[in-house]
């Protein structure tokens, strides 16, 4: 599928995989995007997961026939993008693999390939003919070897579109249903999937994302070609602004309440907290059972909203397992600032959960605490209900101030 006169989409869709990286649900599948530049020199940008190589090589040959590929640029070495390198080299033995020093260390380790390489550094350029490639090093977005490739006219006076091959940056979950460019398809399903992709895959690396955005500032892009999801054209400004906001951990007014429960008592506490926050004026409220909803969706909304209240029962003289896992995942994302935190818990005979949640925040999360934690013994009483309502109201005041 043609993107510009010389640039073609040759990626594939995976509608069978249920978990991305064995972790993140894929209700709408995922695309592995690769691009082919057909100029005086032929350049392939990234590959696809090796299971899809047959379809991949057909896509390539549909564009260039029996012409050789001169360059293979690898922006990111994760196997869903680099997995076909070895097979591409078998089909095109003279191809030069373009990457940086860290790219080649990983390529040797993953695939045993050490020859036919061309190392590039930040701001290096390769001439293809009518077009040229400029390389932008973007380490830790989200692996140490990641880079981006900017394609533009070789003639400084020409007006060919500037195209950014961005690796995993600006990508999202979801297979492509026919069309590839955002202006040709309905993108409604992709926006929250971009937030979920960012928060779970890239979210820990806000500072490197900000550094990458600064390197790209001032470049007038007509297309952003990520390795997952649509090619961005019509919505480039929206996509860049979304990444800028998320990488600065900027939130919007709203509240995530997530709880664990065994017999429904802790769940009742969560309902009263949510009702109180709503009555106090918070409109964006999402309530999740941590044992039912996959944590990737909860993490997505924690990135979106400024308030977080968690609650769980004591279990085996400790914290309810699924809540312990979720708090570990939140801590692993290293979310900075702009979050208010409250918590509650329950117990049958020995109170451990509330203290354990408080310790998580004190030692790892470092969110601003709001209200008084609520600790319920056995079942909901009028007094506990009143404490839950007070916690919800306090959180609402913090969110709306």
């Amino acid at each position: 599928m043609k993107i510009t006169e010389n640039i073609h989409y040759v990626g594939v869709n995976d509608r069978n995989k249920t978990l991305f990286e064995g972790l993140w649900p894929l209700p709408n599948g995922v695309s592995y995007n690769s691009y082919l530049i057909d100029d005086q020199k032929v350049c392939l940008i990234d590959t696809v997961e090796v299971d899809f190589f047959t379809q991949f090589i057909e896509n390539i040959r549909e564009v260039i026939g029996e012409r050789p590929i001169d360059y293979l640029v690898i922006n990111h070495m994760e196997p869903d993008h680099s997995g076909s390198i070895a097979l591409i080299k078998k089909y095109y033995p003279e191809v030069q693999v373009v990457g940086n020093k860290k790219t080649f260390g990983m390529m040797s380790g993953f695939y045993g390939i050490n020859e036919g390489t061309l190392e590039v550094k930040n701001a290096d350029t390769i001439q293809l003919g009518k077009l040229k490639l400029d390389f932008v090093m973007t380490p830790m977005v989200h692996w140490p070897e990641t880079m981006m490739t900017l394609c533009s006219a070789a003639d400084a006076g020409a007006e060919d579109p500037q195209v950014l091959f961005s690796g995993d940056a600006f990508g999202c979950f979801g297979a492509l249903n026919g069309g590839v460019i955002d202006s040709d398809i309905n993108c409604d399903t992709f926006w929250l999937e971009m937030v979920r992709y960012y928060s779970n895959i890239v979210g820990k690396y806000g500072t490197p994302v900000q550094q990458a955005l600064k390197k790209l500032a001032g470049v007038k892009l007509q297309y952003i070609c990520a390795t997952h999801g649509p090619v961005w054209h019509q919505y480039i400004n929206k996509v860049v602004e979304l990444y800028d906001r998320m990488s600065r951990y900027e939130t919007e007014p709203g509240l995530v309440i997530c709880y664990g429960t065994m017999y429904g008592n802790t769940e009742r506490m969560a309902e009263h907290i949510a009702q109180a926050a709503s009555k106090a004026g918070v409109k964006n409220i999402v309530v999740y059972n941590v044992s039912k909803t996959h944590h990737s969706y909860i993490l997505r909304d924690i990135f979106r909203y400024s308030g977080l209240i968690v609650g769980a029962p004591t279990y085996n003289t400790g914290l309810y397992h699924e809540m312990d896992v979720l708090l570990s995942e939140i801590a692993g994302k290293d979310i900075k600032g702009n979050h208010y935190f409250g918590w509650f818990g329950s117990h049958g005979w020995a109170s451990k959960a509330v203290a354990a949640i408080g310790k998580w925040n004190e030692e790892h999360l470092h969110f601003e605490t709001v209200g008084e934690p609520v600790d319920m013994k056995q079942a909901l009483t009028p007094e506990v209900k009143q404490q839950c309502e007070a916690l919800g109201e306090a959180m609402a005041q913090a969110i709306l101030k």
Side-chain angles (χ1 to χ4, degrees):
M1 286 176 277
K2 186 175 286 190
I3 297 170
T4 71
E5 185 61 31
N6 296 90
I7 299 175
H8 303 259
Y9 177 89
V10 291
V12 299
N13 286 306
D14 186 345
R15 303 183 193 277
N16 301 313
K17 185 172 292 186
T18 56
L19 293 175
F20 188 77
E21 298 180 342
L23 293 168
W24 320 116
L26 293 172
N28 303 315
V30 67
S31 67
Y32 308 124
N33 299 344
S34 175
Y35 306 91
L36 192 64
I37 304 173
D38 183 11
D39 203 343
Q40 292 177 23
K41 297 284 189 179
V42 175
C43 180
L44 182 64
I45 307 288
D46 294 307
T47 72
V48 302
E49 192 165 280
V50 69
D51 292 350
F52 295 86
F53 184 79
T54 299
Q55 182 182 343
F56 182 46
I57 197 68
E58 288 176 1
N59 293 347
I60 292 170
R61 286 183 163 172
E62 187 174 336
V63 178
I64 61 171
E66 297 301 318
R67 289 184 66 195
I69 296 175
D70 298 286
Y71 299 110
L72 167 57
V73 174
I74 298 296
N75 287 313
H76 183 26
M77 273 298 300
E78 269 192 290
D80 54 338
H81 308 302
S82 68
S84 294
I85 293 176
L87 286 173
I88 285 290
K89 283 186 71 67
K90 287 184 181 296
Y91 276 76
Y92 302 98
E94 301 303 317
V95 68
Q96 284 190 291
V97 182
V98 180
N100 57 68
K101 185 176 181 179
K102 291 181 179 178
T103 304
F104 298 137
M106 290 185 178
M107 193 168 69
S108 176
F110 275 119
Y111 309 116
I113 297 172
N114 298 290
E115 297 179 349
T117 61
L118 176 61
E119 182 180 337
V120 293
K121 299 180 176 63
N122 194 68
D124 280 355
T125 297
I126 289 179
Q127 301 287 337
L128 299 178
K130 182 181 177 183
L131 302 174
K132 66 183 177 72
L133 304 178
D134 295 287
F135 300 96
V136 182
M137 300 300 125
T138 56
M140 297 317 302
V141 184
H142 55 122
W143 276 27
E145 87 302 348
T146 53
M147 66 183 194
M148 299 182 189
T149 303
L150 182 64
C151 180
S152 57
D155 180 357
E159 295 184 358
D160 279 47
Q162 296 201 74
V163 178
L164 181 69
F165 300 101
S166 61
D168 274 351
F170 310 114
C172 59
F173 297 128
L176 298 169
N177 300 320
V180 169
I181 302 173
D182 61 1
S183 54
D184 297 334
I185 60 179
N186 186 330
C187 290
D188 290 351
T189 60
F190 288 110
W191 299 118
L192 281 181
E193 286 295 73
M194 175 173 276
V195 177
R196 188 165 71 95
Y197 181 90
Y198 178 91
S199 57
N200 287 278
I201 307 296
V202 187
K204 182 181 178 69
Y205 305 105
T207 298
V209 171
Q210 279 291 304
Q211 293 170 346
L213 290 174
K214 288 176 182 177
K215 287 183 177 181
L216 297 171
V219 179
K220 189 175 181 181
L221 297 173
Q222 278 77 44
Y223 295 91
I224 293 179
C225 298
T227 46
H228 299 292
V231 171
W232 301 111
H233 175 58
Q234 177 180 343
Y235 295 113
I236 280 181
N237 289 340
K238 180 175 180 177
V239 167
V240 173
E241 287 169 4
L242 186 62
Y243 254 64
D244 180 42
R245 187 167 70 249
M246 290 188 295
S247 61
R248 289 187 285 106
Y249 304 96
E250 184 178 308
T251 57
E252 58 184 291
L255 173 59
V256 179
I257 301 172
C258 44
Y259 65 89
T261 193
M262 290 184 286
Y263 304 110
N265 293 305
T266 318
E267 182 177 52
R268 293 180 67 192
M269 298 175 76
E271 295 289 358
H272 286 295
I273 293 169
Q275 290 166 14
S278 176
K279 188 176 179 180
V282 180
K283 292 184 178 181
N284 294 322
I285 300 175
V286 288
V287 181
Y288 291 119
N289 182 330
V290 294
S291 298
K292 182 179 180 182
T293 301
H294 193 276
H295 294 181
S296 67
Y297 295 94
I298 301 173
L299 290 166
R300 175 198 69 188
D301 287 340
I302 290 172
F303 265 79
R304 294 172 66 199
Y305 295 132
S306 55
L308 173 63
I309 297 178
V310 304
T314 297
Y315 194 85
N316 281 343
T317 67
L319 182 58
Y320 187 73
H321 173 73
E322 284 299 313
M323 181 56 69
D324 200 46
V325 172
L326 176 65
L327 291 172
S328 175
E329 291 170 344
I330 297 170
K333 300 304 176 187
D334 196 24
I335 301 171
K336 298 175 176 64
N338 300 316
H339 277 81
Y340 303 109
F341 186 69
W343 66 100
F344 62 100
S346 64
H347 62 280
W349 64 91
S351 176
K352 298 293 183 181
V354 168
I357 295 171
K359 187 176 181 181
W360 264 110
N361 189 50
E362 180 182 350
E363 295 183 357
H364 302 287
L365 306 182
H366 310 300
F367 294 155
E368 181 178 338
T369 59
V370 170
E372 292 295 325
V374 184
D375 193 359
M376 178 179 70
K377 184 175 182 179
Q378 293 158 358
L380 194 71
T381 64
E383 181 182 6
V384 171
K385 178 183 174 183
Q386 188 175 33
Q387 292 171 352
C388 290
E389 291 171 346
L391 177 57
E393 291 168 1
M395 180 60 74
Q397 291 173 6
I399 290 170
L400 299 174
K401 73 179 182 180

